[in-house]
């Protein structure tokens, strides 16, 4: 068989697919059994060199040997992966995804359903619209009277929503550019908001200096009293507030801003409310935790990442607009070769009009597949179990003599320090540095993967319990491992 025929051969594809599934089955079983390292040895130059070595400089002359080569390639990929399916992966806000979601994504990849116009990804568009409707209703928006779409990640989602409010607030900024004198327009957010908010302000020409950080309460949530002060200050100075950006929840400690009080003030001052619910939006699936996002249905725009707490592979981020008219405010462009005037009704389904992307991956297949196969109650279970385990971990930290939790968790993010009695005289800065060193030592062993953060400038350890197979014994093992290193 010549190489072109081999590249498009259904038989070779099937053989490679079966080999892939066999290897992934073994991989998942091993990780679930806690075998091997969580994080591979992190040597970027060696990895890059090894990857380059695989890329054949002399083309093979026949298809012979391709299945064996494929098998070895998969082994290499799995051996060098970060292992989110290992229950001792307790790191960033990136889940051990429901594996079958990856198979659903594969359907989109193999058939290639790029979506800018409905015609190029009809089922992908239908799936996206169905998910937008179902998730938006779950958030509390009124069925049939809101809009939304999927985009490539929470950062791009925040950017697109803030571009929309900038265009709405500043009239002709899309056409004329942002020519307001510096210091004129503001975005109000809170100190722990994700950096993509400030980055969006920079990209939108509003200026990162014009992102004002509203004061926090004692649980690091936006303080409504401080928000009122900033809104009054802006009004008195004649400065336009483009948006109040609330977090549900914040990245460092998972704090949920009090939406009802914030929404009241946004209504009173006539300001756009944007809620970054990239991580915490999923709380609305749980009767027990939905109160955390109470009031989210009053937001003008909401961002929610399914590739966080809905346990699907990256990237699958949603943007919602309470007022469906706003979906066409971000981009006021014509692309005549895409949008056919002979079928004007169809443009409603051409998502390219609403997104930064033109060609867009069929990013909804994984979530749609999991939801359709297992039902949405799975999301409730995953949210409730990971939140409950996080609280149990917090209790263990609080009851220990050598660890201190730095907050009571509202979700599945817990920040803490190792601080045994004999370190009581260690200055705070050095205490923070020791936490970072402990983390580095820990992840280099491959036994656990956790993250670090800084609270008020001082280093701390941080876990996100986002692998549903993690147990309290894994977390106790983590504490013992930290103790061992500290000694
Ligand atoms: C609150 C919040 N917003 C936005 C983002 C950015 O999302 P993404 O990584 O999908 O761009 C994150 C990422 O952790 C986040 O925690």
């Amino acid at each position: 068989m010549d190489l072109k025929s081999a590249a498009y051969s259904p038989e070779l594809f099937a053989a490679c697919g079966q080999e892939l599934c066999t290897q992934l089955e073994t991989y998942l079983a091993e990780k679930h059994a806690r075998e091997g390292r969580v994080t591979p040895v992190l040597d970027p130059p060696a990895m890059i060199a090894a990857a380059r070595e695989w890329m054949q400089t002399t083309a093979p002359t026949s298809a012979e040997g391709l299945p064996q080569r494929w098998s070895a390639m998969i082994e290499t990929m799995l051996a060098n992966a970060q292992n989110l399916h290992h229950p001792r992966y307790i790191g960033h806000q990136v889940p051990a995804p429901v594996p079958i979601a990856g198979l659903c994504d594969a359907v989109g990849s193999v058939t290639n359903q790029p979506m800018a116009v409905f015609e190029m990804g009809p089922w992908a568009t239908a799936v996206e619209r169905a998910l937008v409707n179902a998730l938006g209703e779950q958030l509390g928006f009124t069925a049939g009277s809101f809009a939304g779409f999927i985009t490539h990640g929470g950062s791009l989602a925040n950017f697109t929503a803030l571009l929309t409010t900038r265009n709405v607030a500043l009239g002709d900024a899309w056409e004329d550019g942002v020519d307001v004198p510096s210091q004129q327009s503001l975005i109000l957010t809170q100190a722990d908001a994700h950096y993509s908010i400030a980055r969006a302000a920079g990209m939108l020409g509003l200026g990162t200096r014009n992102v004002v950080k509203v004061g926090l309460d004692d649980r690091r949530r936006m303080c409504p009293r401080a928000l009122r002060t900033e809104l009054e200050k802006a009004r008195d100075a004649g400065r336009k507030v483009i948006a109040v950006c609330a977090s549900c929840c914040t990245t460092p400690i998972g704090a949920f801003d009090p939406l009802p009080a914030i929404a009241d003030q946004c209504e009173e001052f006539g300001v756009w409310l944007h809620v970054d619910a990239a991580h915490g939006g999923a709380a609305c699936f749980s009767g027990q935790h939905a109160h955390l996002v109470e009031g989210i249905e009053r937001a003008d725009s909401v961002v929610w990442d399914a590739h966080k707490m809905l346990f699907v592979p990256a990237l699958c981020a949603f943007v919602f607009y309470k007022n469906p008219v706003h979906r066409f405010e971000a981009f006021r462009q014509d692309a005549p070769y895409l949008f056919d005037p002979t079928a004007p009704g169809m443009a409603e389904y051409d998502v390219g009009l609403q997104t930064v992307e033109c060609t867009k991956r069929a990013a909804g297949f994984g979530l749609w597949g999991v939801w359709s196969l297992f039902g949405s109650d799975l999301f409730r279970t995953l949210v409730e179990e990971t939140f409950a385990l996080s609280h149990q971990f917090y209790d263990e930290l609080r009851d220990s003599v050598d660890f201190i939790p730095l907050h009571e968790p509202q979700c599945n993010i817990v920040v803490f320090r190792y601080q045994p009695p004999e370190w009581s005289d260690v200055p705070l800065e050095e205490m923070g540095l020791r936490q970072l060193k402990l983390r580095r030592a820990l992840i280099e062993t491959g036994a656990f993967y956790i993250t670090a953060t800084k609270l008020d400038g001082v280093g701390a350890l941080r876990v996100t319990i986002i692998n549903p197979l993690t147990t309290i014994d894994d977390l106790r093992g983590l504490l013992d491992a930290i103790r061992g290193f500290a000694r």
Side-chain angles (χ1 to χ4, degrees):
M1 203 187 317
D2 67 61
L3 289 177
K4 187 178 86 179
S5 305
Y8 284 88
S9 157
E11 293 77 24
L12 180 64
F13 175 78
C16 289
Q18 276 150 20
E19 172 64 16
L20 171 63
C21 282
T22 302
Q23 286 205 33
L24 283 176
E25 181 189 5
T26 307
Y27 169 86
L28 289 171
E30 283 175 1
K31 296 311 155 206
H32 293 177
R34 296 164 177 74
E35 285 174 23
R37 299 173 62 96
V38 180
T39 307
V41 175
L42 299 175
D43 183 346
M47 281 189 176
I48 294 164
R52 186 68 197 262
E53 216 168 288
W54 273 100
M55 297 162 67
Q56 312 192 25
T57 43
T58 44
T61 48
S62 79
E64 212 184 322
L66 290 185
Q68 292 75 14
R69 187 170 174 79
W70 166 256
S71 178
M73 284 162 56
I74 300 300
E75 279 169 25
T76 303
M77 283 194 260
L78 295 178
N80 288 284
Q82 171 65 288
N83 297 300
L84 285 76
H85 285 284
H86 195 304
R88 295 188 166 191
Y89 168 89
I90 330 167
H92 286 287
Q93 296 152 271
V94 183
V98 178
I100 283 179
L103 297 183
C104 298
D105 280 345
V107 177
S109 296
V110 173
T111 61
N112 204 13
Q113 300 294 303
M115 309 160 59
V117 288
F118 181 76
E119 294 164 9
M120 285 300 288
W123 187 246
T125 307
V127 159
E128 173 167 325
R129 189 61 80 86
L131 288 169
V132 163
N133 291 345
L135 288 176
E137 288 166 26
Q138 191 71 34
L139 287 172
F141 289 126
T142 309
S145 74
F146 64 93
F149 55 84
I150 299 177
T151 189
H152 285 102
S155 303
L156 197 59
N158 276 328
F159 169 79
T160 313
L162 292 175
L163 170 62
T164 302
T165 169
R166 186 205 71 172
N167 290 350
V168 170
L170 299 185
D172 296 330
W174 177 259
E175 292 81 6
D176 297 340
V178 180
D179 196 20
V180 291
S182 172
Q183 302 288 312
Q184 197 107 77
S185 303
L186 296 174
I187 286 179
L188 303 184
T189 188
Q190 64 124 296
D192 287 347
H194 190 258
Y195 71 78
S196 56
I197 300 290
R199 189 176 273 193
M203 292 193 289
L204 292 169
L206 299 171
T208 55
R209 271 199 213 100
N210 295 317
V211 177
V212 172
K213 304 213 164 139
V214 175
L216 303 178
D217 69 9
D218 57 358
R219 296 187 72 180
R220 301 189 77 83
R221 299 172 298 195
M222 187 187 284
C223 169
R225 239 179 311 110
L227 175 62
R228 173 168 290 281
T229 305
E230 294 299 343
L231 285 166
E232 285 173 352
K233 242 183 356 190
R235 184 189 56 199
D236 296 347
R239 298 180 68 181
K240 191 174 240 342
V241 178
I242 300 281
V244 170
C245 296
S247 300
C248 279
C249 52
T250 59
T251 308
I253 72 158
F256 286 73
D257 288 336
L259 295 182
I262 293 171
D264 284 348
Q265 293 188 32
C266 286
E267 274 165 27
E268 183 185 334
F269 285 82
V271 171
W272 182 288
L273 173 58
H274 173 69
V275 178
D276 178 356
H279 184 92
C284 70
F285 275 108
S286 160
Q288 200 185 335
H289 299 293
H291 66 94
L292 293 168
V293 289
E294 185 193 338
I296 200 164
E297 73 287 351
R298 295 170 65 190
D300 296 286
S301 53
V302 173
V303 161
W304 180 0
D305 283 358
H307 58 272
K308 291 187 167 59
M309 290 301 290
L310 294 181
F311 295 86
V312 296
L315 287 162
C316 180
F318 287 80
V319 175
F320 297 94
Y321 298 113
K322 185 171 65 186
N323 180 348
V325 167
H326 288 146
R327 71 196 186 285
F328 295 124
E329 285 295 330
F331 310 100
R332 300 180 195 156
Q333 277 176 305
D334 283 338
Y337 65 97
L338 288 182
F339 310 112
D340 180 358
T342 65
M346 293 303 276
E348 167 61 26
Y349 301 99
D350 294 341
V351 285
L353 285 166
Q354 303 172 43
T355 59
V356 171
E357 299 95 334
C358 175
T359 304
K360 188 180 80 168
R361 184 181 151 264
F365 279 168
L367 180 61
W368 175 81
V370 170
W371 191 320
S372 303
L373 199 55
F374 300 104
S376 66
D377 202 46
L378 178 67
F379 304 128
R380 179 193 60 74
T381 304
L382 299 179
V383 165
E384 289 184 356
E385 290 191 0
T386 52
F387 280 29
L389 183 57
S390 306
H391 211 279
Q392 199 182 347
F393 180 53
Y394 162 78
D395 291 339
E396 297 257 336
L397 294 167
R398 198 194 45 199
D399 295 344
S400 75
V401 291
D402 47 358
F403 284 93
I404 49 161
L406 297 180
H407 64 112
E408 182 178 352
Q410 286 191 283
C411 60
N412 56 332
I413 299 173
V414 187
V415 179
F416 59 101
R417 290 200 186 103
Y418 178 65
Q419 209 164 309
E422 61 271 24
W423 288 10
S424 60
D425 293 335
V426 174
L428 211 49
E429 194 181 341
E430 167 62 19
M431 187 73 79
L433 206 56
R434 287 185 185 189
Q435 311 304 312
L436 304 188
K437 285 183 184 164
L438 281 170
R439 174 194 175 256
R440 179 57 49 192
L442 187 70
I443 68 167
E444 280 177 0
T445 66
F448 289 89
Y449 183 77
I450 66 170
T451 59
T453 189
K454 284 189 174 178
L455 289 190
D456 298 322
V458 181
L461 301 170
R462 174 179 178 275
V463 298
T464 308
I465 296 168
I466 199 158
N467 179 331
L469 304 183
T470 300
T471 65
I472 192 66
D473 284 339
D474 291 312
L475 300 169
R476 288 179 183 142
L478 169 69
L479 300 186
D480 284 341
I482 293 171
R483 290 182 179 114
F485 279 117
R487 270 200 295 276

